[in-house]
Each structure stands twice: as structure tokens, then as C-alpha cells.
């Protein structure tokens, strides 16, 4: 059983880490691409996971050429995601119990996401999680999105906790690189993407779910 080093704050990625949205979003991405006359592949989709708006734009233009209508694609995905989240947004296993345990131990929590602010607020609210975090850092709050460490450094700064004393929880490769570069104790909880050799070489912990992270953080 991996035991985590003591930490003073916990910073979570949103999609795929707190929210069980990546599988839904994958379906939407494939559907929207088909509607627009392009064929999405697992490889292209995998490269998009955890990336910012700008990074996704760049990846899709590289994959499909400059004629790819990114603005239209982005809008259609957003509309479809919002429609599907009307009934609420599912959370990943262990989220509520782990956050309750953090709060019971007076450990502040934050979100660091590549999503823009309206999307983050809407989804966290639809999942019933919005009020559980001291601060939420979105794409709109930083100059450099993940894999740059700025989102995590911004969250730590807002919480007034040294990044070295923060636990970061991530499901994407870009996010793991960002948290690790910020100097945080980083745990990857894979969702659709599994750690590659580059991520494993960082020496971070990989755990199956937030239930496992909870046990490693509070073993007693």
C-alpha cells in the first residue's frame, strides 16, 4: 500500500479526476467530428485529453489540416455537453468521502482545470461540488495552461500553501507534467489515458481511484 507524504492542501484536476465526464466528452467529440465530415480516431482523442482550448485547436489542425472548423467544433461540443449535463454531472468514485476527510482534517482544497470559467462553474455546480473548494483556477485565470505549472502554482498561491506541501490529483498526462513541474506531490488517477514511460519516469504515484488515494492519505 502506497502511503502519501503529509500534505497541507489538495488540488484536484476537474474533468476525469473529480467529474466522470471524459467518457461522455469522448462520445461527443466523435459524434461532432462525424457531423462535420471528419473522422475522429482514438489516438487524436487521446492526445486532446487534459489539454487547453488552444492545445486542442492546434492538435486538430495538425490532424485534419487548416480547413478544420475548430470554432464550430468547439461550439457544438459545448452545446452537446451542456445538454447532457442537465440531469447532473456524475462524479468519480470516492470524491465525496475523500473531500469530506480532507475538510475534517482542516486541509483546504482547490481545483486547477484547463476548462474555461463558465464551463468549470457550470459542471462543478451540476455535480454538486462547487461549494466544496476554497478556490477554482480555470483557463481564464492563467497565461499558460497545463502542461505549464502555472495553474497549480496559482492554486497554491491562492491557498497560501507552499507548492511542496500540496497534493495534486490528475488523470491526464498534461496535468501530471504541470503538477510535477509545480513541485507538488503528484498522484495520477488514470481515467481514459494511462501513464506513459515519460510520466512513469517522473516517479509519481499512480492509483486506481480516489478511494485508493483516500486510504493512502488517511491510513488510520
Amino acid at each position: 500500500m502506497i502511503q502519501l507524504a503529509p500534505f497541507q492542501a489538495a488540488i484536484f484536476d476537474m474533468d476525469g479526476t473529480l467529474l466522470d465526464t471524459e467518457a461522455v466528452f469522448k462520445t461527443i467529440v466523435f459524434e461532432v467530428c462525424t457531423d462535420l465530415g471528419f473522422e475522429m480516431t482514438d489516438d487524436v482523442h487521446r492526445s486532446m485529453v487534459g489539454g487547453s482550448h488552444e492545445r486542442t485547436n492546434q492538435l486538430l489542425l495538425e490532424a485534419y489540416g487548416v480547413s478544420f472548423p475548430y470554432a464550430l467544433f468547439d461550439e457544438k461540443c459545448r452545446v452537446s455537453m451542456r445538454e447532457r449535463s442537465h440531469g447532473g454531472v456524475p462524479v468519480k468514485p470516492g470524491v465525496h468521502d475523500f473531500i469530506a476527510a480532507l475538510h475534517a482534517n482542516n486541509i483546504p482544497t482547490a481545483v486547477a482545470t484547463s476548462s474555461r470559467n463558465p464551463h468549470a462553474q457550470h459542471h462543478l455546480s451540476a455535480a454538486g461540488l462547487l461549494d466544496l473548494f476554497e478556490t477554482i483556477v480555470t483557463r481564464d485565470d492563467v497565461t499558460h495552461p497545463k502542461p505549464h505549472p502555472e495553474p497549480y502554482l496559482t492554486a497554491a498561491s491562492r491557498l497560501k500553501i507552499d507548492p511542496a506541501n500540496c497534493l495534486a490529483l490528475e488523470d491526464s498526462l498534461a496535468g501530471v507534467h504541470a503538477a510535477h513541474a509545480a513541485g507538488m506531490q503528484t498522484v495520477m488517477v488514470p481515467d481514459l489515458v494511462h501513464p506513459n514511460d515519460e510520466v512513469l519516469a517522473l516517479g509519481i504515484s499512480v492509483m486506481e481511484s480516489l478511494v485508493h488515494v483516500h486510504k493512502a492519505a488517511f491510513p488510520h
Side-chain angles (χ1 to χ4, degrees):
M1 181 73 205
I2 302 169
Q3 193 169 339
L4 296 173
F7 56 94
Q8 295 170 14
I11 304 174
F12 294 81
D13 168 58
M14 187 177 76
D15 289 302
T17 301
L18 286 169
L19 307 181
D20 200 359
T21 42
E22 290 291 8
V24 178
F25 192 63
K26 179 177 182 178
T27 304
I28 291 170
V29 164
F30 273 76
E31 285 173 2
V32 170
C33 267
T34 303
D35 288 348
L36 295 173
F38 294 86
E39 189 185 348
M40 177 54 63
T41 67
D42 282 332
D43 284 347
V44 174
H45 169 262
R46 202 176 296 116
S47 71
M48 290 164 54
V49 172
S52 64
H53 174 61
E54 297 92 335
R55 176 89 184 113
T56 302
N57 187 356
Q58 182 192 344
L59 286 165
L60 290 171
L61 292 180
E62 284 169 8
Y64 300 109
V66 291
S67 65
F68 187 83
Y70 181 73
L72 184 59
F73 166 82
D74 185 53
E75 186 193 354
K76 281 177 171 284
C77 287
R78 205 174 294 282
V79 168
S80 188
M81 195 73 185
R82 197 163 279 248
E83 281 169 1
R84 290 179 202 211
S85 64
H86 278 321
V89 170
V91 300
K92 298 289 283 185
V95 167
H96 289 286
D97 287 348
F98 185 35
I99 293 174
L102 291 166
H103 289 168
N105 285 275
N106 297 314
I107 294 172
T109 54
V111 171
T113 176
S114 296
S115 294
R116 285 171 288 192
N117 193 52
H119 173 88
Q121 296 277 343
H122 176 268
H123 272 60
L124 289 168
S125 179
L129 300 178
L130 190 59
D131 300 332
L132 299 181
F133 301 97
E134 271 78 352
T135 189
I136 294 161
V137 177
T138 72
R139 176 64 191 92
D140 299 324
D141 299 307
V142 296
T143 307
H144 305 289
K146 303 173 190 178
H148 194 281
E150 189 184 347
Y152 278 99
L153 294 173
T154 302
S157 161
R158 287 183 184 178
L159 294 175
K160 299 183 171 56
I161 306 279
D162 185 322
N165 295 323
C166 294
L167 174 69
L169 301 141
E170 267 291 349
D171 72 298
S172 76
L173 304 178
V176 166
H177 282 293
H180 185 264
M184 297 187 177
Q185 178 175 199
T186 305
V187 177
M188 183 174 185
V189 183
D191 182 39
L192 299 185
V193 176
H194 293 281
N196 58 14
D197 292 343
E198 199 183 341
V199 158
L200 292 173
L202 298 176
I204 62 150
S205 304
V206 179
M207 297 193 200
E208 200 177 314
S209 73
L210 289 178
V211 177
H212 295 76
V213 179
H214 183 170
K215 286 179 182 159
F218 305 110
H220 306 303

